[in-house]
Amino acid sequence: MKLIKISLIILTIALSSCSTKKKISEKKVEETVIDMHNSMNSLDWSGTYQGNLPCADCEGIQTVLILNNDLTFLKKSKYLGKKDTIFEDKGSFSWSKTGQIITLNNQNTEHYFVGENRIWKLDENGNKITGDLAQQYIFNKQNSQLTDRHWKLVELYGQKVDFDKKKGKQPYLILRPEEENKIYGNAGCNRFFGTFELKEGNQIVFSQLGATKMYCPNMETETQFLKVLNTADNYSLNGETMTLNKAKMAPLAKFEVAYFY
């Protein structure tokens, strides 16, 4: 009888042990599944993020953070309402074990939580910032590659465009599809406006172009810039650079994204 009781006790312990091992095993599988679906490997996180951080003695800190697939970053900051100085920081970043948070390996060791098309700047302890200013610590991803970007002119017909604030303004253009495909900008002296149409094969057509009629000391750049808009029939994109072209000829004009203007 005693042998039977002992056997039953041993069997009970064995079954309990198996059940515990099964639960632990199931938990590990569950954790593995969770780890497999994190920001690092499930989201299209690389790209450009922009936001305005709070500032104690200025209007805000306009900030752009570019995250690259090779785990390098480029960060640009401008203190609004102060000098036009743009502060630049670059280096590498690393992912947390959870695959949800990145850490910039810079002097300040900044932490960001990565979400769908946005990132949250975290406090020094890696926690999300709360309170009335919480929304200002969110950076939104700039998804559009061509439209809704401030394209500053840097080259015309292969020649560098020299920009002198005393003689005029930085030539630029912006394409606004949500405003009935409007194009507007500044040619160096006068503001211009019109419409654009995008077609297959990176084709683009500008039409109904017009401009104000102010006079500035140097009008050559403006004249050539407006001529390009009337001539170009296609565009090309390469990261933060765009060119306007005519057929397969050399680029007529080259532009770079200007996040601060």
Side-chain angles (χ1 to χ4, degrees):
M1 191 69 177
K2 287 183 179 180
L3 288 174
I4 294 175
K5 286 183 178 181
I6 292 172
S7 299
L8 288 173
I9 292 172
I10 293 173
L11 180 60
T12 302
I13 293 173
L15 290 174
S16 176
S17 176
C18 289
S19 176
T20 301
K21 288 181 180 179
K22 183 179 180 182
K23 288 180 180 178
I24 293 173
S25 177
E26 289 175 348
K27 184 179 180 182
K28 286 184 177 179
V29 171
E30 184 180 354
E31 288 176 348
T32 302
V33 171
I34 292 173
D35 287 342
M36 288 175 63
H37 296 84
N38 54 37
S39 300
M40 180 176 63
N41 54 35
S42 298
L43 298 180
D44 183 19
W45 51 265
S46 63
T48 302
Y49 298 82
Q50 189 166 5
N52 287 324
L53 295 171
C55 178
D57 59 351
C58 68
E59 300 171 10
I61 306 174
Q62 189 177 0
T63 307
V64 172
L65 180 59
I66 301 173
L67 302 178
N68 301 310
N69 283 317
D70 62 357
L71 301 185
T72 59
F73 75 89
L74 172 62
K75 180 185 175 186
K76 296 182 179 181
S77 303
K78 178 182 178 181
Y79 289 77
L80 301 177
K82 291 194 171 185
K83 294 182 179 180
D84 292 335
T85 304
I86 297 174
F87 298 91
E88 187 173 302
D89 187 12
K90 58 184 177 180
S92 62
F93 66 89
S94 55
W95 284 91
S96 64
K97 291 182 179 180
T98 61
Q100 303 284 56
I101 296 173
I102 62 169
T103 298
L104 304 188
N105 299 318
N106 56 4
Q107 186 175 359
N108 298 321
T109 316
E110 301 171 53
H111 307 286
Y112 294 83
F113 179 89
V114 181
E116 183 74 38
N117 291 325
R118 55 173 50 186
I119 58 177
W120 284 256
K121 190 175 190 306
L122 306 178
D123 64 20
E124 58 184 12
N125 296 317
N127 300 316
K128 279 190 178 181
I129 295 170
T130 58
D132 296 337
L133 300 178
Q135 291 297 314
Q136 292 183 252
Y137 290 91
I138 300 175
F139 290 38
N140 292 309
K141 190 175 184 181
Q142 309 300 294
N143 288 314
S144 176
Q145 296 298 308
L146 176 67
T147 61
D148 298 314
R149 309 190 90 175
H150 187 108
W151 293 104
K152 66 178 181 180
L153 180 67
V154 294
E155 284 186 14
L156 265 174
Y157 298 102
Q159 299 297 314
K160 182 179 178 181
V161 173
D162 292 321
F163 168 54
D164 187 345
K165 286 186 177 181
K166 295 180 180 179
K167 296 182 180 179
K169 296 183 178 180
Q170 171 73 59
Y172 72 91
L173 66 80
I174 299 177
L175 305 174
R176 297 291 195 195
E178 72 279 5
E179 298 178 14
E180 299 180 345
N181 280 12
K182 290 289 194 304
I183 175 178
Y184 62 85
N186 193 290
C189 176
N190 288 284
R191 291 179 292 105
F192 66 86
F193 44 84
T195 61
F196 70 94
E197 181 182 1
L198 298 178
K199 299 181 179 181
E200 292 184 5
N202 282 14
Q203 295 184 67
I204 189 169
V205 177
F206 300 107
S207 58
Q208 300 177 17
L209 294 172
T212 56
K213 302 197 180 289
M214 294 173 55
Y215 176 79
C216 295
N218 181 12
M219 300 290 287
E220 183 179 356
T221 296
E222 176 161 313
T223 301
Q224 291 182 332
F225 186 13
L226 295 176
K227 181 180 177 181
V228 165
L229 296 180
N230 282 291
T231 305
D233 59 13
N234 71 89
Y235 68 91
S236 60
L237 287 171
N238 182 15
E240 306 296 291
T241 303
M242 175 188 71
T243 61
L244 290 178
N245 322 296
K246 175 67 176 178
K248 295 183 179 180
M249 299 167 58
L252 302 176
K254 181 179 179 181
F255 303 80
E256 293 179 353
V257 175
Y259 294 104
F260 310 103
Y261 44 85

